[in-house]
Amino acid sequence: MVFRGRFADIDLKGDLFGGVTTAIISLPLALAFGVASGAGAEAGLWGAILVGLFAALFGGSSTLISEPTGPMTVIMTAILTSMMARYPETGFAVSFTVVMMAGAFQILLGTLKLGKYITLMPYSVISGFMSGIGVILIVLQLSPLLGQATPAGGVMGTLTALPEIINQMKISELFLGMLTLGILFFLPTQYRKQVPVQLIALVAVTLISLLLFDRDEIRRIGVIAAGLPSFVIPTLNGEMFTNMVIDALVLGTLGSIDTLLTAVIGDSLTRKEHDSDKELRGQGIANMIAGLFGALPGAGATMGTVTNIQIGARSPLSGVVRALILALVVLVAGELTEPIPMAVLAGIAVYVGFNILDWSFIQRAHKVSMQGMAIMYGVMLLTVFVDLIVAVGLGVFISNILIIERLSREQARQVKAISDADGNDVPLTDSERALLDQANGKVLFFYLSGPMIFSVSKAIARQHHRIGDYEAMILDLTDVPMIDVTVGLALENAINDALDAHCTVYLLCPNIDTKQQLEKFHILRLVSADKTFSFRYEALDAAVKHVNPAS
């Protein structure tokens, strides 16, 4: 059998062990995310199977493990909650239609080759967004951790109902949840290396619950029905179509960011480079199929991917093996999930939420940048209490404004206007400086360097405001590789102001690309060909002869 592309690097032993190990890691997480979302443990397991299988087959990374993740589960929980509240009969189908739409959006991103742009986002925004997702996941699990059903209203609903939840909490389930968290946080490292800590907590606390409590005293998952999941007929609601599109864009964008960031981590470990666009198409196909079968959407999972690589996996075969093992568990051993307490899964979800929090950046944000810290905490609070789109959109907007402002200050220093050669850092040779001195202050040497973006236009206007004091101006664009429209207009104004003041303009622009941009802006029409030069000495010589013919 000949393997092509990503399957060409199969390491049979490494891929098999990687698939088995990641399946063991995925099992408790899939159960926890399924229950946390409100779609049920079965939806979580089939999400891990379908997303993992089809992303492995059609994706652009050799070792990426895809499955339902904490951030995707938080978004899916909000979608399910809102849709079921408005449309009790069709809300479930509408919610998973949104998942299909999100998958289609990811396919579109990949087809348009936009993968490389997805992760071009300030880290402070990503950090705040992910930390906000972690906080949401933790808050939403407080009620199940205390033995109560999750109240409606998301984070605010849970916080509002918290006093009543605490008053009615079940000590038995709180004990099991806290015991789960104790194992997850404090199990010695030597045991974690042997077996995934989530699986240890799941099995150990489930056994303890059977020994200490009656089956009916504790809320448990119940038996997962054997057989394939039910097909979900796509349902479009005209009244909710706009909201469905927005939810799909949020879900698809988050899944894309989550996946590509994980793929970058995988690349750093394997020393290979993934295909971002192909990966997005693969994730889109996987999520569309998951939506068709009422399974949770997924994305690249960091823990599973890193473990997969460390075990020795080198091809997508490990992802296929992992999906087949999980499918075998569902189809053959579904009754084994029956005694698992809900509080255990809530504890696992809280642990995942705690790990989603970007502790590394939180601890040093105030040392790195006060602006970055403000953006990070602002995005986090907006994510938790307002809206995910508002949080990311506002965070990116403010971050870009601050970056542009900082770049503008730096770039403005590269706009210089001199009339004598003494005490300046304009890159002139000794012979060129001597020529400028011969002009006796009648020539303005206007020097620009670096990319000229719109924010530099004010600096250009400031530097040439006294143009009437000179008889000639040399506009030196030798070191300018790029000019945007706003700067082009500013240069046009500078040239027109000079001409209006009867100041002769000489243009120095040897860069072909820059000259083509000036031609598009019709700036070259303002300066005659005999006053356009490619060398500084020639331009200075012509300007000096113009203002001082005797020289």
Side-chain angles (χ1 to χ4, degrees):
M1 186 177 195
V2 179
F3 292 96
R4 299 182 183 274
R6 297 174 305 131
F7 284 87
D9 296 327
I10 283 181
D11 179 336
L12 194 58
K13 179 181 177 182
D15 290 332
L16 289 176
F17 276 104
V20 171
T21 306
T22 52
I24 293 171
I25 292 174
S26 296
L27 181 61
L29 292 176
L31 292 171
F33 289 146
V35 172
S37 70
E42 184 177 351
L45 280 174
W46 279 110
I49 294 166
L50 295 174
V51 174
L53 175 62
F54 289 99
L57 291 174
F58 299 106
S61 174
S62 298
T63 52
L64 191 73
I65 295 297
S66 299
E67 61 186 359
T69 62
M72 295 291 277
T73 300
V74 168
I75 306 298
M76 193 60 198
T77 303
I79 293 172
L80 265 171
T81 302
S82 63
M83 295 299 181
M84 292 296 291
R86 296 189 182 192
Y87 305 99
E89 294 183 0
T90 61
F92 188 87
V94 171
S95 298
F96 284 96
T97 302
V98 170
V99 175
M100 300 176 215
M101 294 167 65
F105 175 61
Q106 289 181 302
I107 293 174
L108 179 63
L109 289 176
T111 303
L112 296 177
K113 299 188 180 302
L114 299 177
K116 57 182 176 292
Y117 302 111
I118 295 296
T119 54
L120 291 179
M121 192 180 296
Y123 184 77
S124 55
V125 176
I126 294 176
S127 175
F129 178 67
M130 288 300 181
S131 294
I133 291 291
V135 171
I136 293 174
L137 190 55
I138 291 171
V139 171
L140 293 182
Q141 295 310 302
L142 292 178
S143 185
L145 199 64
L146 296 171
Q148 304 295 314
T150 301
V155 171
M156 293 305 298
T158 298
L159 294 177
T160 302
L162 195 56
E164 183 180 351
I165 293 171
I166 294 174
N167 188 48
Q168 297 179 359
M169 68 177 176
K170 295 181 180 179
I171 299 298
S172 56
E173 297 205 26
L174 176 61
F175 167 75
L176 295 175
M178 297 307 293
L179 185 59
T180 302
L181 287 171
I183 294 173
L184 292 171
F185 280 108
F186 302 112
L187 188 72
T189 305
Q190 60 265 32
Y191 299 113
R192 293 172 181 264
K193 293 180 179 180
Q194 305 300 322
V195 183
V197 66
Q198 293 89 347
L199 187 63
I200 294 175
L202 182 72
V203 174
V205 180
T206 298
L207 292 175
I208 290 172
S209 74
L210 293 173
L211 292 173
L212 298 182
F213 306 103
D214 293 335
R215 281 181 178 266
D216 297 335
E217 185 181 347
I218 302 293
R219 294 179 310 132
R220 303 180 187 275
I221 292 181
V223 177
I224 293 179
L228 296 174
S230 301
F231 185 76
V232 175
I233 299 175
T235 303
L236 287 174
N237 187 311
E239 181 184 348
M240 288 290 293
F241 182 72
T242 301
N243 288 334
M244 291 174 70
V245 171
I246 293 174
D247 288 340
L249 293 178
V250 173
L251 194 61
T253 303
L254 176 59
S256 300
I257 294 172
D258 211 358
T259 295
L260 296 184
L261 289 176
T262 303
V264 170
I265 294 172
D267 289 348
S268 68
L269 296 174
T270 60
R271 301 295 186 269
K272 294 183 179 179
E273 189 173 348
H274 72 281
D275 185 332
S276 297
D277 299 316
K278 188 176 181 182
E279 186 60 52
L280 289 181
R281 292 195 296 271
Q283 293 288 331
I285 292 170
N287 281 321
M288 286 190 73
I289 293 173
L292 281 170
F293 289 97
L296 288 190
T302 303
M303 183 170 64
T305 299
V306 171
T307 302
N308 190 42
I309 295 169
Q310 290 175 341
I311 292 295
R314 291 295 175 266
S315 81
L317 179 62
S318 60
V320 175
V321 170
R322 168 192 163 278
L324 293 177
I325 292 173
L326 289 175
L328 190 65
V329 171
V330 176
L331 296 174
V332 177
E335 69 278 359
L336 294 179
T337 64
E338 188 274 332
I340 298 175
M342 293 286 198
V344 174
L345 299 180
I348 292 174
V350 168
Y351 179 72
V352 172
F354 185 84
N355 286 325
I356 290 175
L357 293 171
D358 190 359
W359 294 108
S360 175
F361 191 69
I362 290 173
Q363 291 170 353
R364 56 181 172 158
H366 63 286
K367 298 179 182 178
V368 176
S369 166
M370 292 302 292
Q371 291 180 342
M373 182 186 71
I375 290 172
M376 189 272 288
Y377 281 115
V379 170
M380 182 175 72
L381 292 173
L382 287 172
T383 300
V384 174
F385 296 108
V386 181
D387 183 81
L388 299 168
I389 295 179
V390 171
V392 174
L394 195 58
V396 170
F397 176 76
I398 294 175
S399 295
N400 287 338
I401 290 296
L402 293 175
I403 291 171
I404 290 171
E405 191 271 335
R406 192 180 307 164
L407 287 174
S408 300
R409 289 201 308 267
E410 293 299 320
Q411 201 60 43
R413 298 175 186 173
Q414 305 305 317
V415 178
K416 301 168 185 176
I418 62 171
S419 56
D420 63 76
D422 298 328
N424 61 73
D425 57 351
V426 174
L428 296 175
T429 65
D430 291 340
S431 59
E432 291 165 351
R433 289 177 182 274
L435 271 178
L436 184 59
D437 284 337
Q438 290 179 29
N440 298 321
K442 297 178 182 179
V443 173
L444 179 66
F445 189 83
F446 202 4
Y447 173 75
L448 288 75
S449 64
M452 291 289 110
I453 59 175
F454 63 91
S455 56
V456 186
S457 57
K458 289 185 178 179
I460 293 174
R462 283 196 303 268
Q463 291 289 0
H464 81 278
H465 73 285
R466 293 179 57 193
I467 193 64
D469 297 341
Y470 303 94
E471 296 179 16
M473 178 180 77
I474 299 173
L475 183 58
D476 186 355
L477 304 179
T478 303
D479 299 321
V480 176
M482 182 272 289
I483 295 174
D484 80 347
V485 175
T486 308
V487 173
L489 293 174
L491 292 177
E492 181 183 15
N493 291 334
I495 293 173
N496 283 326
D497 288 347
L499 296 176
D500 291 342
H502 305 291
C503 176
T504 304
V505 178
Y506 297 86
L507 179 63
L508 185 56
C509 185
N511 188 304
I512 295 176
D513 291 336
T514 305
K515 186 174 287 187
Q516 288 176 346
Q517 289 173 316
L518 292 178
E519 191 171 355
K520 291 178 181 178
F521 299 144
H522 304 301
I523 292 176
L524 291 182
R525 299 179 184 179
L526 302 175
V527 183
S528 59
D530 63 319
K531 292 181 175 60
T532 302
F533 299 91
S534 297
F535 299 98
R536 286 197 183 102
Y537 190 90
E538 293 178 351
L540 282 163
D541 185 54
V544 171
K545 287 179 179 178
H546 173 74
V547 301
N548 189 9
S551 66

